[in-house]
Amino acid sequence: MPVLAILIAALAIGFEQLIQWKYGPMGIIAFVVLSIGLKAKNTTISGIGAAILVLLLAQSG
């Protein structure tokens, strides 16, 4: 079980670093807001985080 937790944490950190490298600080803010909204089961907060990520994706592509 601890190996699985370490693996999941490493993947999360890697994904966070990828977002920061690709989309800058605003990408990290959006990812954190989305994560907080999902943990708190608050659809408004998670929707705001998802909307920011979509705007960043639309801007870069």
Side-chain angles (χ1 to χ4, degrees):
M1 187 67 171
V3 173
L4 182 63
I6 292 172
L7 182 64
I8 291 173
L11 287 173
I13 291 171
F15 183 69
E16 184 178 339
Q17 291 297 319
L18 177 68
I19 288 176
Q20 184 175 12
W21 170 73
K22 182 100 173 147
Y23 302 109
M26 200 61 186
I28 290 296
I29 291 169
F31 181 69
V32 167
V33 169
L34 178 64
S35 298
I36 290 171
L38 290 174
K39 274 195 171 207
K41 295 180 182 161
N42 188 330
T43 56
T44 304
I45 294 175
S46 59
I48 291 169
I52 295 170
L53 280 175
V54 167
L55 289 173
L56 287 172
L57 289 170
Q59 181 182 13
S60 69

